[in-house]
Amino acid sequence: MSTDPHKSDGQVADADRVVIFDTTLRDGEQCPGATMTFEEKLEVAECLDQMGVDIIEAGFPIASEGDFEAVSAIAKQVKNATVAGLARAIFADIDRAGEAVKHAKRGRIHTFVSTSPIHLAHQMRKTEAEVLEIITATVARARNLVEDVEWSAMDATRTGIDYLCQCVDAAIKAGATTINLPDTVGYATPDEYAAMFRIVREQVPNSDKVRFSTHCHNDLGLAVANSLAALGAGARQIECTINGIGERAGNAALEEIVMAIKTRRDRLPYDTGIDATMLSRASRLVSAVTNFPVQYNKAIVGRNAFAHESGIHQDGILKYQQTYEIMTPESVGVGKTSLVMGKHSGRNAFRSKLKELGYELGENAFEDAFVRFKGLADRKKHVYDEDIEALVDEGIAHMHDRMKVVSLTVIAGNMGPQSATLTLDIEGVQHTVQSTGNGPVDATFNAIKLLVPHEAKLDLYQVHAVTEGTDAQAEVSVRLEEGGRMVTGRGADTDTMVASARAYVSALNKLMVKRQKTARVQQQAL
């Protein structure tokens, strides 16, 4: 096995060092409904950088002015990680990506082109020879702008191996420093995926001069397994996302990759630079800003990942933790629930608790969170860590919303119709309306529609309790669809109807942003 000659800091890396390339802000954001605001992207990038991610793929600069500005801002903000911008195999894309990452301490252009017969025939409409010329020209263009160039063979796993080797050879000769062989459609099995890397590395000249990377989608539930299998065949970079979010069934989950390597060193003798104790914090942050709840049984970061209900399991855990736990909750940043916070807790105690939970808020954000904490403490006997996390995450997610719920009064019961009186703050002006409906939720949502007319379809309405007890905060998720645009909103409150209203309004805020972006693109096209 050859030594990996590249490292994110330009130094020679050890053969067992696995570089973590996080694409939450690019591929993850392509997940329907997971769009993040500019400020949310900066917040996530800061978390990833602190956690030790080697490369942050910050976005697709040519896609929109907003994407370009976000990548540029992240490039200026990030202190340690390499910042990458994605670019199609088009000169304009590459130039735009180069412009976006030029202020980074370490910038990378990640350019890609399709190589499989099905993509060449039906999407690219190019011959194999034409694509080879495109690879040579575009990789060379990128290398003239930055020293760190990654080239990806889109749909590599459905590309003939001989032609794939020709493409990789062309990319290396043109100056690529990282070669990514993605399972774009989530089709491969672990043995197939590993064999592809092994053959390409054996047959392509100078393959020992570049780092090979994986990028796996989870359509068959094999993204993590495929990524780990490729390590044994010489890959030393894994592309992944927090919570495994991404297009269709998502990407390989960063937290699963990291903890598999950390827990099974006997079979996976590698290292990453990730601070695993930040995994839960990163998971909660991404869930909050994308408004995508993490499934309860999600590996590593799910609510039930360290929960034991079976009597046999509970007995074993009490006698010896490792009987049914292969890692500790503390190793991924999950601490034991604390009940020390309450209505008499002051600012210093609250600030200390936030730091313990992994939050670093600016003064204005801290004051806002403290006021809302005091309000919550007045309504709840005990304030759990999970309550504080939900409260702060909701504040981060809705900090820049144009519309906010001010007040809501609902009259419910079995003698309908039920009614709702709602006040919204819309761009600084308060509006109040009363409406009825078939149940309290329907009445609440009808009131919102009166103040914010729209034709969006409600695709999802989901409620769960943040903690135990009848005074627990309700966390509500709402997904809306309008004209092919899909957005998700989330809200939390001890009153389920208030949480529902906040979630619906959160989704509408995101829908408005998408409408504006579409309008700008259409105007530019005229």
Side-chain angles (χ1 to χ4, degrees):
M1 187 182 297
S2 62
T3 299
D4 178 1
H6 298 289
K7 197 177 182 181
S8 59
D9 60 3
Q11 298 175 354
V12 175
D14 295 330
D16 63 354
R17 175 70 158 84
V18 175
V19 170
I20 298 297
F21 176 114
D22 183 276
T23 183
T24 301
L25 297 172
R26 199 278 301 170
D27 207 339
E29 203 202 13
Q30 290 176 209
C31 181
T35 303
M36 301 176 220
T37 66
F38 177 85
E39 292 80 11
E40 288 166 351
K41 288 181 179 181
L42 293 181
E43 183 86 14
V44 172
E46 178 70 19
C47 179
L48 295 175
D49 196 33
Q50 291 177 1
M51 190 167 63
V53 164
D54 297 285
I55 300 143
I56 298 172
E57 187 166 51
F60 198 170
I62 197 72
S64 69
E65 187 62 29
D67 245 34
F68 175 81
E69 291 173 356
V71 176
S72 299
I74 291 168
K76 295 172 184 175
Q77 170 186 287
V78 164
K79 297 180 178 64
N80 304 305
T82 294
V83 176
L86 186 69
R88 293 168 298 182
I90 300 171
F91 282 179
D93 278 40
I94 290 168
D95 293 346
R96 193 66 166 158
E99 179 72 16
V101 303
K102 71 178 183 180
H103 296 295
K105 186 176 180 181
R106 285 180 290 272
R108 170 182 293 193
I109 294 175
H110 177 196
T111 184
F112 68 96
V113 69
S114 294
T115 56
S116 69
I118 191 168
H119 277 214
L120 265 58
H122 300 286
Q123 185 177 27
M124 292 285 292
R125 300 178 191 265
K126 300 283 185 182
T127 66
E128 290 186 346
E130 287 173 326
V131 169
L132 285 171
E133 292 177 1
I134 290 171
I135 293 169
T136 297
T138 54
V139 171
R141 178 88 165 203
R143 188 59 192 265
N144 284 334
L145 298 174
V146 295
E147 292 184 5
D148 189 354
V149 176
E150 176 172 341
W151 176 78
S152 289
M154 188 155 75
D155 206 19
T157 52
R158 294 192 297 177
T159 301
I161 195 67
D162 290 339
Y163 181 61
L164 182 61
C165 287
Q166 291 179 50
C167 291
V168 171
D169 183 45
I172 293 175
K173 287 178 178 175
T177 52
T178 296
I179 299 294
N180 180 37
L181 304 179
D183 185 22
T184 305
V185 294
Y187 181 73
T189 60
D191 57 339
E192 290 175 323
Y193 198 55
M196 177 184 68
F197 278 89
R198 195 171 290 111
I199 293 170
V200 170
R201 293 182 68 245
E202 288 173 354
Q203 294 188 5
V204 175
N206 294 318
S207 62
D208 60 331
K209 300 295 192 297
V210 298
R211 176 190 294 136
F212 278 82
S213 177
T214 76
H215 182 111
C216 298
H217 282 264
N218 207 38
D219 298 71
L220 295 177
L222 296 172
V224 171
N226 285 338
S227 300
L228 296 175
L231 294 182
R236 286 298 179 270
Q237 175 177 292
I238 293 181
E239 304 188 7
C240 44
T241 61
I242 300 295
N243 297 335
I245 65 170
E247 289 196 85
R248 304 186 312 278
N251 293 56
L254 182 148
E255 60 277 3
E256 295 177 26
I257 295 288
V258 169
M259 292 311 293
I261 292 173
K262 186 178 177 69
T263 305
R264 292 303 309 272
R265 284 297 302 273
D266 57 324
R267 300 304 299 268
L268 300 167
Y270 315 110
D271 286 306
T272 72
I274 300 296
D275 178 358
T277 64
M278 289 188 66
L279 291 175
S280 289
R281 167 71 193 119
S283 171
R284 291 193 302 269
L285 174 61
V286 170
S287 177
V289 300
T290 60
N291 292 302
F292 263 52
V294 177
Q295 67 194 62
Y296 280 15
N297 64 330
K298 169 74 172 66
I300 315 300
V301 293
R303 186 171 176 177
N304 292 346
F306 296 97
H308 303 274
E309 187 166 331
S310 161
I312 294 173
H313 285 219
Q314 290 174 343
D315 180 65
I317 287 290
L318 290 171
K319 290 175 178 174
Y320 184 58
Q321 189 174 25
Q322 292 184 15
T323 52
Y324 290 103
E325 282 188 354
I326 59 173
M327 66 192 94
T328 66
E330 293 78 13
S331 68
V332 298
V334 177
K336 293 183 179 179
T337 298
S338 172
L339 299 178
V340 298
M341 300 301 293
K343 63 181 180 180
H344 298 298
S345 299
R347 280 179 171 77
N348 288 338
F350 185 63
R351 196 185 301 274
S352 178
K353 173 57 70 176
L354 291 180
K355 189 172 183 180
E356 177 187 321
L357 295 174
Y359 294 97
E360 293 286 346
L361 302 182
E363 197 56 38
N364 290 339
F366 171 79
E367 285 299 326
D368 174 69
F370 183 70
V371 169
R372 289 185 294 114
F373 159 70
K374 282 292 193 178
L376 178 63
D378 282 336
R379 286 176 283 152
K380 287 199 67 177
K381 184 176 180 180
H382 298 302
V383 179
Y384 295 83
D385 287 357
E386 292 91 338
D387 287 316
I388 296 174
E389 290 164 353
L391 179 146
V392 176
D393 287 340
E394 187 187 27
I396 292 170
H398 305 321
M399 190 179 301
H400 302 280
D401 285 354
R402 294 169 53 197
M403 300 177 290
K404 295 183 179 180
V405 175
V406 177
S407 65
L408 174 67
T409 301
V410 176
I411 299 176
N414 63 351
M415 300 295 290
Q418 289 71 34
S419 66
T421 302
L422 173 73
T423 300
L424 291 184
D425 183 309
I426 303 176
E427 296 186 331
V429 180
Q430 293 191 4
H431 304 266
T432 301
V433 71
Q434 186 175 24
S435 183
T436 60
N438 185 19
V441 176
D442 190 44
T444 299
F445 289 179
N446 285 340
I448 295 172
K449 289 178 184 177
L450 287 175
L451 290 176
V452 189
H454 62 276
E455 298 299 324
K457 175 187 173 186
L458 179 64
D459 268 0
L460 172 74
Y461 173 73
Q462 191 174 60
V463 183
H464 80 267
V466 174
T467 58
E468 69 268 19
T470 56
D471 64 349
Q473 284 194 92
E475 199 164 58
V476 177
S477 297
V478 165
R479 186 164 64 224
L480 300 177
E481 189 273 330
E482 180 188 71
R485 294 183 292 257
M486 191 173 291
V487 291
T488 306
R490 190 164 70 169
D493 195 86
T494 52
D495 187 301
T496 304
M497 291 305 102
V498 174
S500 300
R502 286 177 176 170
Y504 200 103
V505 170
S506 169
L508 281 177
N509 274 296
K510 293 200 169 190
L511 191 60
M512 300 305 169
V513 171
K514 284 206 169 190
R515 283 180 182 173
Q516 290 175 346
K517 285 183 178 179
T518 302
R520 281 199 300 266
V521 171
Q522 291 173 342
Q523 196 171 29
Q524 290 170 359
L526 295 177

